[in-house]
Amino acid sequence: MYKASDSRYQGNHIRHAGKTGLMLPPISLGLWHHFSSADPLSERKQVILHVFDKGVFHFDVANHYGDGTKDGLGSSETLLGQILNSDLKPYRDELVISTKAGYEIHDGPYGVGTSRKSLLQDIDGSLERLQLEYVDIFYAHRYDDTTPVEETVRALDDIVKSGKALYVGVSNFEVPEMKQAIKMFKELGTPFVLDQMSMNILNHHVEDSGLIDVLKDAGAGAIAYGPLSEGLLSDRYLNGIPESFKIHPTNEELFADGKEALVKKLNKLNDIAQSRNQTLSQLALAWLLRDPVVASVIIGTTNIDHLDDNLKALDNLDFSSDEVSAIINILQ
């Protein structure tokens, strides 16, 4: 029988989501890729239990995540639910489980989007797959321009009031819709805590757009997905980026000046990382976490060695003014 490590919280730099009481580990585990019905449960369980032993108590999933097939939609939640209902069941009160709805989950017009009907159905489906009575954070996975923001916000508020979620968040909301949603969340008293956005050291859209300031002013936090840009921010591509590399749509601008120019940036960043006794990945994670508005960064890997390597980023989160200036010069 699994027993969690007694030292799992030692040295953990727990962070708050903005000015709220929601606490998160600085590095969270996301179950987007390779955690589904097509993957071996025993091996994925080993990864999840290992990372919990290391102090990572936040697991992020979505009802849309699966094995890449239509029939596999939701199977990432199902896999996590099996582990939550067995080995991790005694630790439920320690865990932060988040899920999202807004992308396709079933056929028909209510199988996608953030209408009231969709969200109220989707939370029930997620809870069934996760084998939980509630989730800690429930997100609108995207901005749905076919549904009024007011309708989405009221549905999220009602989900909290029903006891099916403790906090709510949004994902991929930009400044205009974020401001509109925040105003309503405040009026309703909804425990809005996070905007989950694509963020990495090379992609500073959240800062440049002013979104980070909007969240800060609202007392909410940002949480980063794709902080290593699909592995681009690792030592794997220091000698070149292959033509087959698939970049996430939110990071396509990174290739604007060509792959060779990007490789030069990666190598310059790697030089700074080495001077800090870090890998490029560790530097990239630490860079995001230097801003207290960033509540956590979500990594996604099934390799325990990679997990442990990424967690070592927490050993050095401080940047000197010279390091900050040098990194900003590289990124310009």
Side-chain angles (χ1 to χ4, degrees):
M1 180 179 291
Y2 169 73
K3 181 183 182 301
S5 170
D6 292 334
S7 62
R8 60 190 177 278
Y9 294 113
Q10 290 182 9
N12 201 319
H13 308 264
I14 292 174
R15 299 162 75 96
H16 280 258
K19 296 179 181 178
T20 74
L22 177 67
M23 291 172 277
L24 296 172
I27 295 177
S28 303
L29 183 65
L31 279 62
W32 181 13
H33 293 303
H34 309 301
F35 286 88
S36 72
S37 57
D39 300 294
L41 175 62
S42 60
E43 292 181 16
R44 298 302 178 262
K45 179 190 294 187
Q46 183 182 7
V47 172
I48 288 172
L49 298 183
H50 175 85
V51 78
F52 182 55
D53 281 339
K54 295 291 186 176
V56 175
F57 55 88
H58 174 215
F59 300 100
D60 180 81
V61 73
N63 67 353
H64 179 74
Y65 296 169
D67 59 12
T69 69
K70 194 167 185 177
D71 290 340
L73 295 175
S75 61
S76 292
E77 287 182 324
T78 300
L79 181 145
L80 179 58
Q82 290 176 281
I83 301 168
L84 292 173
N85 198 45
S86 55
D87 300 84
L88 287 179
K89 192 169 187 176
Y91 305 97
R92 175 64 184 100
D93 290 348
E94 297 181 34
L95 300 174
V96 174
I97 306 300
S98 61
T99 194
K100 304 178 282 290
Y103 288 103
E104 183 184 16
I105 183 62
H106 58 75
D107 290 335
Y110 295 107
V112 66
T114 61
S115 69
R116 178 177 180 82
K117 178 174 170 61
S118 294
L119 290 179
L120 294 181
Q121 291 174 165
D122 289 343
I123 183 62
D124 287 342
S126 288
L127 292 178
E128 182 177 352
R129 287 185 291 272
L130 289 166
Q131 302 185 53
L132 294 176
E133 295 181 357
Y134 69 93
V135 292
D136 299 276
I137 312 167
F138 187 62
Y139 291 91
H141 203 166
R142 66 183 181 89
Y143 171 60
D144 177 5
D145 61 4
T146 68
T147 298
V149 170
E150 294 89 344
E151 181 175 339
T152 297
V153 166
R154 286 190 179 278
L156 292 171
D157 183 67
D158 284 342
I159 286 168
V160 172
K161 287 183 169 65
S162 71
K164 295 176 182 180
L166 303 184
Y167 300 93
V168 299
V170 298
S171 183
N172 302 308
F173 271 43
E174 298 291 350
V175 170
E177 54 264 28
M178 191 70 268
K179 284 183 175 180
Q180 189 179 356
I182 285 172
K183 183 176 184 294
M184 277 204 68
F185 282 135
K186 286 188 177 297
E187 291 171 352
L188 293 169
T190 315
F192 165 69
V193 288
L194 294 165
D195 187 3
Q196 186 174 138
M197 295 292 291
S198 173
M199 300 175 68
N200 61 68
I201 193 171
L202 298 168
N203 178 354
H204 30 86
H205 166 74
V206 172
E207 295 175 350
D208 294 346
S209 67
L211 182 58
I212 203 80
D213 294 323
V214 171
L215 295 170
K216 183 178 180 180
D217 292 344
I223 186 165
Y225 70 81
L228 299 179
S229 190
E230 293 76 56
L232 194 62
L233 287 159
S234 70
D235 58 9
R236 278 176 278 177
Y237 303 104
L238 295 176
N239 295 320
I241 303 169
E243 290 299 319
S244 59
F245 185 87
K246 292 182 179 180
I247 194 75
H248 191 272
T250 58
N251 291 317
E252 287 177 348
E253 289 189 9
L254 302 185
F255 290 166
D257 296 325
K259 291 182 179 178
E260 288 187 11
L262 181 55
V263 169
K264 288 181 180 179
K265 281 187 179 182
L266 294 177
N267 277 277
K268 289 179 180 179
L269 290 172
N270 188 57
D271 288 341
I272 295 177
Q274 289 184 332
S275 71
R276 290 167 50 86
N277 295 315
Q278 287 184 317
T279 65
L280 177 55
S281 294
Q282 291 164 358
L283 170 76
L285 295 174
W287 180 258
L288 291 180
L289 291 168
R290 84 192 193 287
D291 188 340
V293 181
V294 179
S296 187
V297 297
I298 302 172
I299 61 172
T301 181
T302 60
N303 186 302
I304 286 177
D305 290 337
H306 288 170
L307 278 170
D308 289 344
D309 185 67
N310 288 338
L311 290 172
K312 289 178 182 176
L314 305 180
D315 295 340
N316 187 8
L317 295 176
D318 297 323
F319 289 83
S320 69
S321 58
D322 288 343
E323 287 172 334
V324 171
S325 296
I327 290 172
I328 290 175
N329 284 336
I330 293 169
L331 299 178
Q332 289 177 341

